[in-house]
């Protein structure tokens, strides 16, 4: 069996430094025509400074809705979200987001201008200081030779690098990433995962990353929150710091992925195993 630790969500926790982000019994609802739909039900978890926390679940389980609430764009129907102990009630530059879409960059601004703009617009830095910091982060994501290029001349992966540079240049308390690599081809996606982890090793930023890919969750995260669908509930929290791209094909990695499927899908996965010699070959 893989060396995973599944935390009992209701057990006593050891004394630890105060978390950077606290999601405390949060539920989210939205209106569809004449009825109220509950997207999330009493979700609770903490994210500590420099964590790479993953929200993993099937499409429609409320992952992106929760990310928007943490960003301050929607308010919980119950519960509370706190950043450094302060309740989140609106968007702010202390939470920067990178989305899946490639068109999140203003097309009339160059790569450098895209990174500079939020630094100046937020009042964080003057133009000279903003330019210096923007150049630093454009170089960190490997795009210094494209600093004066416009988004339409860039590949999808390059656009996502710009979005990451723009977000990290703000030096937020937490970086929010909503399936940022889902629309990329598999080779580019792998490279972006490598580059994100390399940036984290250098900067040690705090990350909340949403994905529906089990492999990506194991590779990118050091902790994974597993969400069930309709409405989303936190089923388990798993430590995954021992995994990376290098051991993606190892038995331990496959066993971990298999165990996550069992937690998320239960009987459905067991039924699939009985019909699939491929899955059964490495099942625990």
């Amino acid at each position: 069996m893989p060396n995973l630790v599944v935390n009992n969500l209701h057990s006593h926790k050891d004394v630890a430094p105060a978390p950077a982000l606290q999601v405390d019994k949060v539920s989210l609802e939205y209106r569809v025509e004449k009825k109220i739909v509950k997207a999330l039900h009493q979700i609770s978890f903490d994210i500590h400074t420099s964590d790479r926390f993953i929200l993993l679940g099937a499409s429609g389980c409320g992952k992106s809705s929760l990310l928007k609430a943490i960003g301050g764009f929607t308010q919980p129907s119950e519960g509370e979200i706190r950043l450094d102990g302060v309740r989140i009630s609106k968007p702010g530059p202390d939470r920067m987001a990178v989305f899946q879409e490639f068109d999140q960059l203003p097309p009339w601004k160059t790569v450098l201008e895209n990174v500079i703009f939020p630094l100046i617009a937020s009042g964080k830095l003057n133009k000279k200081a903003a330019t210096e910091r923007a150049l630093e982060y454009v170089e960190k994501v490997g795009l210094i030779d494209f600093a004066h290029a416009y988004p339409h001349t860039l590949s999808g992966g390059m656009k996502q690098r710009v979005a990451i540079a723009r977000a990290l240049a703000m030096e937020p308390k937490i970086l929010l990433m909503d399936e940022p690599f889902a629309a990329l081809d598999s080779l580019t996606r792998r490279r972006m995962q490598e580059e994100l982890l390399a940036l984290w090793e250098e900067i040690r930023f705090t990350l909340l990353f949403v994905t529906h890919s089990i492999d990506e969750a194991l590779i990118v995260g050091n902790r994974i929150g597993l969400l069930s669908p309709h409405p989303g509930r936190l089923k388990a929290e798993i430590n995954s710091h021992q995994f990376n791209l290098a051991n993606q094909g190892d038995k331990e990695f496959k066993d971990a992925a298999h165990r996550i499927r069992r937690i998320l899908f239960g009987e459905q996965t067991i039924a699939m195993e009985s019909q699939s010699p491929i899955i059964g070959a490495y099942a625990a």
Side-chain angles (χ1 to χ4, degrees):
M1 288 294 294
N3 182 25
L4 293 182
V5 176
V6 180
N7 298 328
N8 184 331
L9 298 178
H10 304 289
S11 65
H12 173 74
K13 294 184 178 180
D14 294 333
V15 176
L21 182 81
Q22 296 171 289
V23 177
D24 186 9
K25 297 181 181 177
V26 166
S27 297
L28 292 173
E29 297 177 345
Y30 58 91
R31 181 175 293 276
V32 176
E33 296 179 347
K34 296 183 179 180
K35 64 179 181 178
I36 300 294
V37 176
K38 179 167 278 191
L40 292 168
H41 180 70
Q42 294 196 342
I43 300 290
S44 294
F45 60 85
D46 294 339
I47 299 178
H48 292 269
T49 300
S50 298
D51 264 350
R52 304 189 312 274
F53 191 90
I54 309 295
L55 284 175
L56 173 65
S59 296
C61 70
K63 305 183 300 296
S64 295
S65 296
L66 181 54
L67 208 71
K68 290 175 183 175
I70 293 168
F73 298 103
T74 59
Q75 291 299 308
S77 54
E78 62 176 331
E80 190 172 85
I81 304 172
R82 298 182 292 273
L83 185 63
D84 285 346
V86 179
R87 184 177 69 86
I88 291 173
S89 60
K90 60 183 179 180
D94 51 5
R95 288 149 285 137
M96 295 298 291
V98 177
F99 302 102
Q100 178 178 339
E101 296 79 15
F102 294 154
D103 59 356
Q104 59 191 292
L105 304 173
W108 58 89
K109 293 184 181 293
T110 65
V111 166
L112 185 60
E113 289 167 346
N114 263 286
V115 180
I116 289 172
F117 176 72
L119 290 166
I120 295 176
S122 66
K124 199 174 186 75
L125 297 175
N126 61 34
K127 186 173 182 179
K128 182 176 183 296
T131 301
E132 290 174 355
R133 186 183 292 183
L135 283 168
E136 176 188 351
Y137 279 89
V138 168
E139 185 169 15
K140 284 183 188 296
V141 298
L143 289 177
I144 196 65
D145 291 340
F146 298 88
H148 301 293
Y150 287 90
H152 75 273
T153 67
L154 306 177
S155 67
M158 293 168 76
K159 290 176 183 177
Q160 292 302 74
R161 288 191 191 100
V162 179
I164 293 169
R166 181 179 61 178
L168 288 177
M170 289 290 289
E171 298 182 352
K173 292 180 179 178
I174 187 166
L175 175 63
L176 310 174
M177 302 189 82
D178 189 2
E179 304 203 43
F181 310 143
L184 300 172
D185 65 84
S186 59
L187 292 177
T188 305
R189 185 171 187 163
R190 181 184 177 92
R191 183 174 179 184
M192 292 300 296
Q193 291 164 352
E194 290 174 343
E195 292 179 359
L196 180 66
L197 291 173
L199 278 170
W200 182 85
E201 288 290 349
E202 180 180 355
I203 304 171
R204 295 297 173 116
F205 51 87
T206 306
L207 174 65
L208 175 57
F209 190 105
V210 164
T211 184
H212 60 260
S213 166
I214 293 174
D215 280 12
E216 183 166 69
L218 288 168
I219 290 165
V220 172
N222 69 320
R223 294 168 57 214
I224 305 172
L226 304 181
L227 293 181
S228 64
H230 312 305
R233 303 169 189 262
L234 193 63
K235 297 193 73 172
E237 183 184 302
I238 290 177
N239 292 337
S240 55
H241 55 84
Q242 67 269 43
F243 299 115
N244 55 46
L245 281 160
N247 55 26
Q248 189 173 5
D250 295 351
K251 182 181 185 298
E252 185 180 1
F253 187 98
K254 291 180 179 180
D255 285 346
H258 170 65
R259 189 178 184 189
I260 288 173
R261 283 195 292 272
R262 290 284 293 266
I263 293 171
L264 287 176
F265 305 115
E267 295 301 321
Q268 178 182 346
T269 300
I270 295 170
M272 289 174 62
E273 289 167 9
S274 66
Q275 303 172 24
S276 174
I278 296 176
I279 294 177
Y282 63 81

